[in-house]
Each structure stands twice: as C-alpha cells, then as structure tokens.
Amino acid sequence: MVGLKRGIGIIFILLLIVPFICAETIVVQQEKPPEKQGFFATYFGFLKSPIFWYIFVGALLFIGLLVGLFFFIRWLLKYLKARSDIFWKLRSERIKLSKIQRRYPSKSWWKVHKNTPIRLVRKEDNGKLLISHPVAYHRGDYITHEGNVIISMNLKDNKKYFFFPITDLLVIPNKEKISFQKKNEKGKIEIIEINNLPQAKDIIQFNENEILIFAESLSSVGMFIVPVLKAKDGKIIDLSLPVYQSLKEVIIGEYLYQQSDDFVKVARKSIDLNPNLRFQMKAGDTNQNVEIPSNSGGNR
C-alpha cells in the first residue's frame, strides 16, 4: 500500500511539472513582416555595384577616345588640305590673324549670338537707308598688307553637323584700281584696268556695339565672302575679281619668297657639304681683309 501511494504521488507531481517544461522548451517563431524598401533603395541600389562602375568608366573612356579621334581626323584633313590648296592655307592664316587682332571682345565660339552683330545697310529707291537684322556675328578683323579689310565671322544659322558654327572670311577690297592680264580672242595677252572701285571706308563702318556693311547682300565666291554692291544706275558691282586678283598677288609674292628662301637654304647646305668651296670662300674673305701698305714712306 505504501508503494502504491508513492507511485501515485510521483505520477501526480509529474503531471504538474510537464506543462511548465513544455512551455519553456517550445518556442513559437513568429515571421517578421517584410521591410519596406524606399524608391532610391529599389531603383538606385545598383550604383553600389562595382560592375556598374566598371561599365561607367569604360563608357567614359570610349566616348573620350571617339571625341579625340574626331578632332584628330578633323585637324589632319585641314592640314592635308592646307598643303594641297594654297587658297585654303591663306584663308586659314587670315582667319587666325583676324582673331588675334580683333577690335571687339568677340570670344564666344559656341553661342556666337553673344558676339558683336554684323548688319547690312541697304539703300531703297527713295533714298532711305534700311538696316537689317544681324546677318552674321563678328569673330575678328584686321587690315592686310595689300590693303584688304578682313573680317572673320559666323553667318547666322550657318552650322556644320547641325551644331558647330562655321567661320567664314569676308574680304573687302580697298584699292581704287586694279590691273590684270587676260588673253584676247587672238591669243594675245592684254592688260585690263578697272578704275573707280569702291573703297572700304564707303562699304564698312565699325561702331561701338555693331558693324554696318553698306551692301545689298553677302555673296560666297569660292572659299571667301564678298559684299554685293549696287551702283547708282542699279547695276551690280562685282567685287569678286578685285578680291581674287589681290589674293593672287599675295600668293604669288609668298610663293616667290618661299622659293627664294628655299634656294638660299639649299645653297648654304651645298656649301657646307663641299669643303673645297668652303675653303675658297674663306680664303677669298681673308684676301679681302689684307691691308696693302702704301709706298709713301719707303725707299729711303
């Protein structure tokens, strides 16, 4: 009986302890609600990825290489053209000189409308002067040694590849007369003179904030721009011939100078390479410097 009572007591104690043990050992894991990600975390999280930065840096290097290659090819084409076309070389040199010696602060090469405007002044039939809207924008100007007035400018809405403003060269002759040779019908050369040409002072006027050109329009003649003038009788005055005649004289003079300079350089080089000729020249110089004493005090 005593043993039975002890067994029933142990069972009763176990029944009381078991719920507490289960409550301590069994842990119910509750699921955490998903974190709400913001806009930048969702769509711009890839900025932290190194792959993105590799692609970004590679794209920048590739674009820089393309831009550098474009400007190099552009420079190479201009260089080759200047070597083969002497008028193109003259045009490039005069544009450069006009920008160096410009009288206005026209330094904008992209937003050219910020530069000094160039307007045309037309004379109507009733004698009234009509000033136009800006037809071009100033980039530089100067007067050449042959007397021409040079103006480098950007014509309005004249762009290359829809983006890059094109720089043109306006040439205004400043001679009263010109003469040139021309073959007649019989094949003989005749000298033709053109007198009473308009002067630059009557064509162009430099004001404080603008440039006025007294002409009907601007015309493209080859690689240059010339003003189109109208005489009192209504006839058009063609200035393309005086312009190209003056430029032709400049080119011929430069060519002769270059040939003379090359001849002197070749002559000096040939003298340096020929020791006998160099010795004879030095000996001749020495003989010229020898002083011959006079006989005024001799034979005593």
Side-chain angles (χ1 to χ4, degrees):
M1 294 295 291
V2 177
L4 181 61
K5 289 180 180 181
R6 288 181 179 179
I8 294 172
I10 292 171
I11 293 172
F12 181 75
I13 293 172
L14 291 175
L15 291 175
L16 293 175
I17 295 174
V18 166
F20 293 100
I21 296 174
C22 294
E24 292 180 359
T25 56
I26 298 174
V27 178
V28 178
Q29 296 181 355
Q30 297 180 355
E31 295 182 356
K32 295 181 179 180
E35 296 181 358
K36 294 183 178 181
Q37 296 181 350
F39 176 81
F40 291 98
T42 304
Y43 295 97
F44 294 97
F46 66 93
L47 293 176
K48 300 179 180 179
S49 174
I51 298 177
F52 165 77
W53 289 106
Y54 290 148
I55 297 174
F56 180 74
V57 174
L60 286 180
L61 293 176
F62 180 72
I63 293 174
L65 180 62
L66 289 180
V67 173
L69 185 63
F70 169 77
F71 283 103
F72 173 75
I73 294 175
R74 184 183 178 187
W75 171 85
L76 183 62
L77 292 176
K78 287 184 177 181
Y79 175 78
L80 294 176
K81 193 169 184 179
R83 299 270 297 182
S84 60
D85 192 341
I86 195 168
F87 276 101
W88 177 268
K89 179 181 179 181
L90 180 65
R91 176 182 179 273
S92 301
E93 291 176 350
R94 300 213 156 177
I95 288 177
K96 183 178 180 180
L97 286 174
S98 66
K99 291 180 180 180
I100 294 174
Q101 305 177 70
R102 57 190 167 209
R103 68 182 71 192
Y104 297 99
S106 303
K107 298 182 180 180
S108 179
W109 64 273
W110 180 258
K111 297 181 180 180
V112 295
H113 62 274
K114 294 183 177 181
N115 297 333
T116 304
I118 300 175
R119 307 175 190 270
L120 296 178
V121 181
R122 302 183 180 93
K123 190 173 184 179
E124 297 182 346
D125 297 335
N126 56 6
K128 185 178 179 181
L129 297 179
L130 180 63
I131 301 177
S132 68
H133 295 288
V135 297
Y137 297 95
H138 175 268
R139 293 294 302 278
D141 65 277
Y142 79 109
I143 300 176
T144 62
H145 63 276
E146 73 273 8
N148 292 337
V149 177
I150 299 296
I151 298 178
S152 58
M153 61 184 183
N154 297 113
L155 291 172
K156 188 177 181 180
D157 298 330
N158 187 23
K159 297 182 179 181
K160 191 174 184 179
Y161 307 122
F162 304 101
F163 295 102
F164 302 102
I166 299 175
T167 303
D168 293 296
L169 193 69
L170 175 65
V171 183
I172 301 177
N174 197 25
K175 290 185 178 181
E176 295 182 357
K177 65 178 183 178
I178 62 169
S179 60
F180 58 93
Q181 296 179 351
K182 184 179 180 181
K183 289 185 178 181
N184 56 17
E185 297 178 354
K186 297 181 181 180
K188 296 182 179 180
I189 297 177
E190 295 181 349
I191 297 177
I192 299 176
E193 290 187 357
I194 301 178
N195 300 317
N196 300 323
L197 290 173
Q199 299 295 294
K201 62 181 181 179
D202 302 324
I203 301 175
I204 188 169
Q205 179 178 332
F206 294 97
N207 294 335
E208 184 177 357
N209 297 320
E210 63 181 1
I211 300 174
L212 300 180
I213 299 177
F214 295 82
E216 296 297 317
S217 62
L218 300 178
S219 179
S220 176
V221 182
M223 292 180 290
F224 303 94
I225 305 293
V226 296
V228 178
L229 307 181
K230 184 185 289 186
K232 294 181 179 179
D233 55 0
K235 294 183 179 180
I236 298 298
I237 302 176
D238 187 7
L239 294 180
S240 61
L241 185 58
V243 167
Y244 266 91
Q245 181 63 25
S246 62
L247 296 178
K248 181 181 176 181
E249 294 174 358
V250 173
I251 290 174
I252 292 175
E254 183 178 353
Y255 176 76
L256 293 176
Y257 172 79
Q258 187 67 32
Q259 292 296 318
S260 302
D261 187 56
D262 292 341
F263 175 77
V264 172
K265 291 180 180 179
V266 172
R268 288 178 179 175
K269 188 174 182 180
S270 62
I271 292 172
D272 293 337
L273 295 176
N274 193 339
N276 294 328
L277 181 60
R278 185 170 54 189
F279 174 76
Q280 292 177 5
M281 291 184 64
K282 290 184 177 180
D285 294 339
T286 304
N287 293 333
Q288 290 179 0
N289 294 328
V290 173
E291 295 182 0
I292 301 176
S294 61
N295 295 326
S296 59
N299 295 338
R300 294 182 178 177

